[in-house]
Amino acid sequence: MALRRQQGFKPFDKTRPLAQAIMKGWKKRSPADSLVISPDLELMGRLPVNERSSPYNGAKGYLLFLKESLDGRLPGFGEEGSGLQSTDSGTPSSSGAAGINGLNVVLTHGKPEQTVLSIFRTPEAGYQDYTVVEIDATALKEGGILTIDISVGSTEAAGSFDLFTGDSELPTEGAPLNALVSAWGISSGQSRRITYLFDRGQHFKLGATGDWHSEKGSVNAFWAKISVEPEQKSEPRKGSSAHLGQSPEDVMNTFVEAFKNLDSETILSMFTEDARETFEDDFEDMPEDARTQMSEILSQMEVLSSQYVGDEFHFQLRVPLAGEVSVKMRKVEGIWLIYDVVE
């Protein structure tokens, strides 16, 4: 391969979904493999040339191999194949495409960073079809900051990624309400980072699936660099509701709830120092009946949209009595804080 590159050949693109299916199917040190791959790029059977013995030797044996593949029996994979099976596209299984080699990452003090390369598939809108990456961080007994840098491949399907605790049951339909942090709608060729602060060694699961706005059944590849580093101990922020490792989506939701509850202390804790000086409210001095009435009005507040803009996170709110409000956040010392609010 090095010689081919010297001679001007383009490097092979391993992120393409078909390449990923082939890489998951080939057997180590096998000179040649027969692979059966579905139109949805699901592996259905594998027959290494050196293992064409009973019952798969000869023409009749090869025909048996093909029939078993089409019947969903996953010949050639043995126990490895259990993770490949999925139900129909209406209610996909949670194991997704992760089963061939096992997407297992073990993080230790000596090896705090690993990468994985795999594929995800787009389910029917409203369902989940996770490719699951198992993350073992139990060796880091004091905890740390788990960081996952995700890049999505070049085909059209966008990806959504959810981080769960190791003992969580991954949902097969509906929004992943039990996720610790999420990164949704990562478009073709785009990258995103998610972080999570944990205080003791534990297991995690990273679920990768197609975004509901992508075409059902479409497939794309993803690459993830998974790493952990010790938490940098610093003077805690008093009364802050935004903390290290918290996603901007979580900060946004906390901000909205604080406004609905007229919680000035929490709202102020989520601003940068400069923005805090310009924020004016008189919630604390309101008469009780006025507070109740205002809280009822603000209960109708809703998020209209949200998006990453470079290194920042922006979202639009519809606020009763004020109309549409634009809110902008950025990271300050690793913490997402609001620096601008414009009506």
Side-chain angles (χ1 to χ4, degrees):
M1 293 301 293
L3 181 59
R4 285 173 61 84
R5 285 193 289 269
Q6 289 177 9
Q7 294 173 347
F9 287 88
K10 293 182 179 180
F12 186 72
D13 185 358
K14 296 180 181 179
T15 67
R16 293 188 175 276
L18 178 58
Q20 284 290 296
I22 294 171
M23 290 168 65
K24 281 184 174 293
W26 68 33
K27 189 163 187 178
K28 190 174 183 180
R29 298 188 179 89
S30 174
D33 302 292
S34 295
L35 302 177
V36 178
I37 301 174
S38 78
D40 292 330
L41 302 185
E42 291 181 337
L43 282 163
M44 302 175 69
R46 171 179 68 187
L47 185 58
V49 66
N50 289 341
E51 296 180 14
R52 288 196 61 182
S53 56
S54 181
Y56 302 121
N57 58 322
K60 291 184 178 179
Y62 193 73
L63 181 60
L64 174 64
F65 161 70
L66 296 176
K67 287 181 176 179
E68 288 187 352
S69 297
L70 294 178
D71 288 341
R73 297 174 62 181
L74 301 176
F77 292 119
E79 293 184 357
E80 292 177 285
S82 61
L84 287 173
Q85 308 235 27
S86 62
T87 62
D88 59 66
S89 58
T91 55
S93 70
S94 62
S95 56
I100 284 290
N101 298 317
L103 295 175
N104 298 316
V105 171
V106 180
L107 301 174
T108 65
H109 290 289
K111 193 174 183 180
E113 177 183 306
Q114 290 194 45
T115 60
V116 295
L117 182 64
S118 190
I119 62 173
F120 60 79
R121 184 172 293 102
T122 304
E124 181 180 347
Y127 290 89
Q128 305 291 350
D129 186 4
Y130 285 116
T131 295
V132 182
V133 181
E134 302 277 354
I135 303 172
D136 182 350
T138 55
L140 302 156
K141 299 186 182 302
E142 71 285 3
I145 303 171
L146 179 66
T147 300
I148 305 176
D149 291 298
I150 302 165
S151 296
V152 169
S154 58
T155 64
E156 291 184 2
S160 290
F161 299 81
D162 302 298
L163 182 69
F164 303 88
T165 59
D167 57 358
S168 293
E169 182 177 348
L170 274 59
T172 57
E173 60 181 293
L177 301 179
N178 59 331
L180 300 172
V181 290
S182 302
W184 297 343
I186 306 179
S187 302
S188 170
Q190 300 299 306
S191 300
R192 189 83 59 81
R193 167 178 287 186
I194 60 177
T195 59
Y196 182 74
L197 177 66
F198 63 107
D199 58 8
R200 58 181 176 79
Q202 63 184 98
H203 287 92
F204 298 94
K205 294 176 183 176
L206 175 66
T209 186
D211 180 82
W212 289 346
H213 297 291
S214 298
E215 181 181 356
K216 175 184 171 182
S218 57
V219 177
N220 205 345
F222 73 93
W223 176 89
K225 182 177 74 173
I226 304 171
S227 61
V228 68
E229 60 182 11
E231 178 188 3
Q232 299 296 321
K233 301 296 183 181
S234 59
E235 190 69 24
R237 297 172 177 266
K238 295 183 179 179
S240 177
S241 296
H243 56 75
L244 195 66
Q246 191 175 29
S247 71
E249 291 87 353
D250 288 339
V251 176
M252 173 184 70
N253 292 331
T254 302
F255 177 75
V256 171
E257 288 304 311
F259 244 110
K260 290 180 179 180
N261 296 324
L262 305 182
D263 185 348
S264 299
E265 182 177 357
T266 298
I267 293 170
L268 288 171
S269 73
M270 303 173 75
F271 282 100
T272 62
E273 291 186 9
D274 291 341
R276 196 177 302 142
E277 294 176 357
T278 63
F279 180 74
E280 297 180 3
D281 75 89
D282 54 359
F283 295 155
E284 300 303 324
D285 298 327
M286 274 188 179
E288 188 61 32
D289 58 343
R291 283 180 59 87
T292 301
Q293 184 178 10
M294 179 61 73
S295 183
E296 290 178 355
I297 294 173
L298 292 178
S299 67
Q300 304 301 313
M301 180 189 299
E302 60 180 337
V303 178
L304 296 176
S305 64
S306 63
Q307 63 178 336
Y308 285 84
V309 180
D311 294 333
E312 298 186 357
F313 185 80
H314 300 175
F315 58 95
Q316 293 283 125
L317 300 173
R318 179 181 287 119
V319 182
L321 305 180
E324 293 188 9
V325 175
S326 175
V327 184
K328 299 179 181 180
M329 293 195 299
R330 63 187 174 207
K331 274 191 173 182
V332 179
E333 298 179 6
I335 299 174
W336 286 99
L337 294 175
I338 295 168
Y339 74 88
D340 190 27
V341 178
V342 180
E343 295 184 10

